């Protein structure tokens, strides 16, 4: 029963709600003509001095935080959470086309957390064009592909392999991004989720 429930929850999550006005990614399962919309509540980014951009897409049903650079407290209800991390390693160089199917300049991880002990992680790569204007970044994500990396607990994997695409607008929030990247790091080290603190440190 638990595995069946997890599969149903994840399938509903991937299908998403087309009426949402938040960030979204188009998802197409490998060897399938069916496309889905993965919906997120908010998107944040940070940028290093050498131009590397880290973006996190978040979904936990809580909506945007009223505080610019602090994550909300982790939800205490049964909401399925999603955390997508996109790390753009270098910007668009001359001579490389976005429609080149082998082009890749970003690493992508996607964590779907059904509970503190049940989750699915996907990893892959993408070609992403980034335009930063002050505290806002626009990302054009193409040629993204992911495959299941880890299944923990009673979750099932409804995707196996999939392609992703979409245009995301993220706001700058350095401390928030660091906080979620720490959570992702903890997820990779343990067999259960590491809950976020109620507040992240304030960016200097």
């Amino acid at each position: 029963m638990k595995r069946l429930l997890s599969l149903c929850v994840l399938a509903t999550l991937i299908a998403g709600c087309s009426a949402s006005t938040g960030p979204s990614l188009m998802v197409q399962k490998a060897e399938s003509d069916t496309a889905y919309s993965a919906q997120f509540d908010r998107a944040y980014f940070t940028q290093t001095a050498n131009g590397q951009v880290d973006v996190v897409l978040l979904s936990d049903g809580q909506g945007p935080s009223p505080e610019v650079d602090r994550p909300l407290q982790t939800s205490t209800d049964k909401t399925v959470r999603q955390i997508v991390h996109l790390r753009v390693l270098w910007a668009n160089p001359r001579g490389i086309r976005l429609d080149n199917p082998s082009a890749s300049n970003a690493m992508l991880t996607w964590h779907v957390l059904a509970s503190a002990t049940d989750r699915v992680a996907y990893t892959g790569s993408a070609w992403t064009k980034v335009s930063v204007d002050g505290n806002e970044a626009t990302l054009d994500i193409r040629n993204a592909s992911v495959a299941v990396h880890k299944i923990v607990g009673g979750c099932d994997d409804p995707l196996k392999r999939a392609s992703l695409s979409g245009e995301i607008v993220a706001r700058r929030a350095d401390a928030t991004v660091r906080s979620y990247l720490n959570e992702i790091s903890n997820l990779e080290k343990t067999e259960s989720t590491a809950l976020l603190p109620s507040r992240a440190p304030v960016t200097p």
Side-chain angles (χ1 to χ4, degrees):
M1 174 64 77
K2 184 178 180 183
R3 266 185 104 73
L4 180 59
L5 177 61
S6 296
L7 177 58
C8 291
V9 168
L10 291 175
T12 301
L13 177 68
I14 299 303
C17 174
S18 59
S20 173
T21 58
S24 65
L25 291 174
M26 293 305 299
V27 182
Q28 186 161 347
K29 186 176 179 180
E31 302 177 359
S32 171
D33 295 329
T34 304
Y36 302 89
S37 177
Q39 301 289 340
F40 301 90
D41 300 319
R42 54 207 187 276
Y44 299 121
F45 85 98
T46 187
Q47 187 173 27
T48 64
N50 63 5
Q52 177 177 293
V53 176
D54 283 293
V55 179
V56 290
L57 307 179
L58 308 166
S59 176
D60 52 18
Q62 297 185 58
S65 171
E67 299 182 79
V68 174
D69 201 9
R70 295 181 181 181
L72 295 176
Q73 184 174 355
T74 301
S75 177
T76 57
D77 62 19
K78 300 301 183 182
T79 302
V80 175
R81 299 176 63 216
Q82 298 180 83
I83 308 173
V84 172
H85 173 217
L86 184 71
R87 173 165 289 170
V88 184
L89 301 174
W90 40 273
N92 181 18
R94 295 179 181 178
I96 295 183
R97 294 162 53 98
L98 273 173
D99 57 3
N100 182 346
S102 64
S104 174
N105 68 336
M107 299 184 298
L108 187 149
T109 61
W110 182 4
H111 293 270
V112 182
L113 304 99
S115 72
T117 56
D118 303 291
R119 60 187 172 89
V120 179
Y122 301 91
T123 59
S125 61
W127 176 252
T128 304
K129 184 177 181 180
V130 181
S131 176
V132 177
D133 183 8
N135 289 324
E136 185 174 280
T138 301
L139 298 96
D140 183 6
I141 303 169
R142 305 188 192 180
N143 297 345
S145 60
V146 296
V148 63
H149 170 64
K150 181 182 290 187
I151 298 176
V152 176
C155 284
D156 257 322
D157 165 33
L159 288 180
K160 311 302 182 187
R161 293 184 295 112
S163 60
L164 309 177
S165 63
E167 185 171 294
I168 299 294
V169 177
R171 60 173 174 162
R172 184 154 194 162
D174 298 329
T176 300
V177 173
R178 287 197 298 268
S179 179
Y180 282 99
L181 294 187
N182 285 338
E183 179 179 12
I184 291 173
S185 178
N186 288 335
L187 289 175
E188 290 298 321
K189 294 175 183 176
T190 65
E191 292 302 305
S192 61
T193 64
L195 296 180
L196 282 169
S198 60
R199 292 178 180 272
V202 177
T203 304

